[in-house]
Amino acid sequence: MSGRFREGSLSARFGRQFVTLVLALTLFFLAVPVVMTFVSSFASDWFGVFPTGFVTLGNWEDVIVGTGVGADVSVGSSLAYSTGLALGGVVINLIVGVPIAYAVARYEFWGRDWVNVFAILPLAPGIILGVAFLRTYPDLSTSGIALIIGYSLLKAPYMVMAVQSSFQSMDLQQIEESARSLGASWPRTFLTVIVPNARTGIIAGSIISWTLAAAEFNFSYIVYSRGTPPLAIFLFNNITNASFLNAAAAVSVFFLLIALVTIALQIIGNRGAVRRI
């Protein structure tokens, strides 16, 4: 008996250390390219293994002002445009995805499994959806509306899955009955009781959907024709036509944007939680 106990203790101790080691190595492996890219954006040269010539803001100036080889416009206009497009897609996902996730988690109805399957699986790859838009809606495809609709269709599964997970962790029937017994109508119950309790999933789904929509390249490349380019096209132009250090600055801009949006959405969600408390 003591031998088995000792065996289990050793297994638990070394197993925990092994998992920790694997996690640390994985995070290090993923973080090194991001850190090196960000650091190199402040270098003037890169010969050999590490960048040299620190610290310069020339690469950032080329990208932000739009004077770089691959920058036909400034990053500010492209960021603002892509931010609006991605936010438009997120709004559509919230309006459509949250009710779908609620219905699938709350009710039993014919075709429920099929609705769930189609809601959490992407309808089509970005390239296929882009070609379909060009063929079906040739006039619409040249506007930003096509990008917003395409982003929402491509990223809807991430919103539905995140929100559905939050709904499934709650006793929706009991929450509804309690609110209705206090005189609340169903719309008020849904908007002021159920949705706020699913804020974790909604915020997570919004962050994922916005991030992926802002970086969506395949659909943007097929549909975009003229005017201010989406961020993915802007980054593509810088990465393919400019020097590596300019490309590093362009990618670093996107990293910072994602970090700021993620922090902002988390702060908004936490403030909402504190106010309700």
Side-chain angles (χ1 to χ4, degrees):
M1 187 70 159
S2 60
R4 289 183 181 177
F5 177 76
R6 187 164 51 253
E7 224 176 276
S9 300
L10 290 174
S11 176
R13 185 177 63 183
F14 288 107
R16 188 182 304 111
Q17 293 177 351
F18 176 75
V19 171
T20 303
L21 177 62
V22 171
L23 179 60
L25 290 176
T26 302
L27 292 176
F28 177 79
F29 179 78
L30 295 176
V32 165
V34 177
V35 173
M36 288 297 294
T37 300
F38 183 76
V39 170
S40 64
S41 68
F42 297 98
S44 59
D45 296 297
W46 192 334
F47 297 105
V49 180
F50 299 104
T52 58
F54 294 99
V55 171
T56 178
L57 298 178
N59 301 315
W60 285 74
E61 182 180 355
D62 290 342
V63 173
I64 295 175
V65 178
T67 59
V69 177
D72 297 327
V73 296
S74 67
V75 68
S77 59
S78 182
L79 283 177
Y81 185 57
S82 292
T83 298
L85 295 177
L87 285 176
V90 170
V91 170
I92 294 177
N93 287 338
L94 287 172
I95 295 174
V96 178
V98 173
I100 290 177
Y102 172 78
V104 171
R106 171 67 175 87
Y107 301 112
E108 293 285 345
F109 54 89
W110 185 88
R112 174 176 176 269
D113 292 337
W114 284 106
V115 172
N116 192 34
V117 167
F118 283 111
I120 66 176
L121 291 179
L123 296 179
I127 294 179
I128 296 177
L129 186 62
V131 173
F133 261 76
L134 289 177
R135 293 294 183 181
T136 308
Y137 309 110
D139 296 330
L140 181 64
S141 60
T142 60
S143 66
I145 298 177
L147 292 172
I148 293 176
I149 296 175
Y151 292 164
S152 65
L153 289 176
L154 290 170
K155 313 311 172 187
Y158 303 101
M159 177 67 75
V160 173
M161 285 189 293
V163 179
Q164 185 176 336
S165 177
S166 291
F167 283 146
Q168 289 175 341
S169 66
M170 298 184 291
D171 189 343
L172 294 175
Q173 183 175 356
Q174 182 177 357
I175 293 175
E176 283 186 19
E177 291 176 352
S178 299
R180 298 296 296 274
S181 66
L182 296 174
S185 62
W186 186 89
R188 184 177 180 183
T189 299
F190 180 76
L191 295 174
T192 63
V193 179
I194 295 175
V195 170
N197 278 282
R199 65 182 179 278
T200 302
I202 292 175
I203 293 173
S206 299
I207 292 173
I208 296 172
S209 298
W210 187 92
T211 303
L212 295 178
E216 173 61 33
F217 175 76
N218 293 332
F219 182 81
S220 301
Y221 186 78
I222 296 296
V223 175
Y224 167 74
S225 59
R226 61 180 182 272
T228 303
L231 181 61
I233 305 299
F234 176 87
L235 294 177
F236 175 76
N237 291 336
N238 276 273
I239 292 172
T240 56
N241 299 327
S243 67
F244 176 79
L245 297 179
N246 275 15
V251 174
S252 298
V253 169
F254 179 71
F255 287 156
L256 291 178
L257 177 65
I258 296 303
L260 291 175
V261 171
T262 301
I263 294 172
L265 288 175
Q266 289 179 339
I267 291 175
I268 292 173
N270 292 335
R271 283 183 178 177
V274 171
R275 288 176 181 175
R276 279 187 293 273
I277 293 174

